[in-house]
Amino acid sequence: MAFAISRRQVVRLSSQLRCLSTATPARAADVKRLGVVGAGQMGLGIALVAATKAQVDVTLIDASETALNKGLAFADKLLAKDVSKSKLTQAEADQVRARLSPKTSLDELGDADFVIEAVPEIPSLKFDIFAKLAEICPKHAILATNTSSISITRIAAATTKDPKDTSASSRVISTHFMNPVPVQKGVEIISGLQTSAETVEAALNFCRAMGKIPSVSADSPGFLANRILMPYINEAIICLETGVGDRDAIDAIMKNGTNVPMGPLQLADFIGLDTCLAIMKVLHEETGDSKYRPSVLLRKMVDAGWLGKKSGKGFYDYT
């Protein structure tokens, strides 16, 4: 009996057959195609740096074509800037751009060797994505998340219904890139209880191939970066709402007193106030410690849609 099979199914089947004899994670040197889920600021940055530094082909996934178009337009702007500063030739920039393939379905990741998820900090959303990735991606593909606060162990558990089956969960890890990705060198590598040593080593090496300097963190709420950074930002917002100081005084004292390039309120605008709130909620809920309770003003600003630079208004006006 004849039956039809789509090109997408052929790609997925051939990838799965190619690695049927081994379930070990891909080595960094074997990563030929990277999948990035989420075409926002973080996802686009990860995709662009991977295409530029690691010189791998990248499938950029987002359910919204508008988000994809916006992200690729931003990539064009960044590449043009690098050409103008002689960091890249026009030919090199064209090659980087050609490595980026925008798609709207996770099904396009059937041939990915390494996948990095970079969607909003909503646990249920990430769990759903990883459950699908475990079914779609080849058996050797490393499944990484860019989460800044959610337990890697919980995300890894979403890849299987049987806790004894670690074929997928052992390949789950966090590669938490610092923002903005094209500029910042730091990236946190966080493994869950299920993550294999081979997966950790491959993630470290691939991040180094992207020109990053990785640091290893335990799977604890907020990990290292946000466990330190977010309470600092939240306390600055509390100082503003309680009248300890005004916006300019708060940012000025931290810039001029600690030699940081941005004050905490300006930094919060750059990160996104919705992201700051989501991380503080996770820290508060998972630790039960009142010192992580989100600022009332932070909640109000998110409710008002004042999310910072990306919305045009936050603690500063960007219109």
Side-chain angles (χ1 to χ4, degrees), residues 130-289:
F130 273 80
K132 292 176 181 176
L133 291 177
E135 295 180 357
I136 294 168
C137 297
K139 300 302 181 185
H140 70 281
I142 291 174
L143 309 178
T145 174
N146 188 57
T147 184
S148 54
S149 59
I150 300 170
S151 167
I152 312 308
T153 299
R154 291 179 64 198
I155 293 175
T159 63
T160 179
K161 296 179 181 179
D162 181 2
K164 296 179 181 178
D165 180 8
T166 60
S167 58
S169 60
S170 66
R171 293 179 283 113
V172 175
I173 195 166
S174 174
T175 52
H176 175 216
F177 291 82
M178 301 296 107
N179 190 20
V181 182
V183 177
Q184 302 288 11
K185 292 289 187 181
V187 56
E188 281 185 305
I189 304 296
I190 308 103
S191 56
L193 287 178
Q194 310 94 318
T195 309
S196 70
E198 292 85 356
T199 296
V200 175
E201 186 65 22
L204 285 167
N205 288 333
F206 186 66
C207 287
R208 291 183 183 118
M210 290 176 63
K212 301 304 180 183
I213 302 173
S215 298
V216 177
S217 169
D219 185 14
S220 180
F223 315 131
L224 280 176
N226 283 323
R227 188 71 167 264
I228 298 167
L229 176 64
M230 284 304 159
Y232 158 70
I233 288 176
N234 192 58
E235 190 62 31
I237 299 172
I238 292 173
C239 286
L240 179 64
E241 75 180 38
T242 57
V244 177
D246 63 21
R247 179 198 69 186
D248 293 342
I250 291 168
D251 276 357
I253 192 60
M254 296 313 296
K255 285 195 293 183
N256 299 324
T258 63
N259 201 33
V260 292
M262 288 185 187
L265 301 180
Q266 184 184 9
L267 179 58
D269 273 358
F270 191 85
I271 294 170
L273 302 190
D274 53 338
T275 300
C276 293
L277 178 59
I279 295 170
M280 287 305 299
K281 283 182 176 178
V282 170
L283 288 172
H284 189 215
E285 291 168 4
E286 293 198 7
T287 65
D289 194 327

Side-chain angles (χ1 to χ4, degrees), residues 10-21:
V10 170
V11 170
R12 186 188 306 171
L13 182 60
S14 62
S15 295
Q16 291 174 341
L17 288 174
R18 173 165 50 88
C19 60
L20 190 60
S21 61

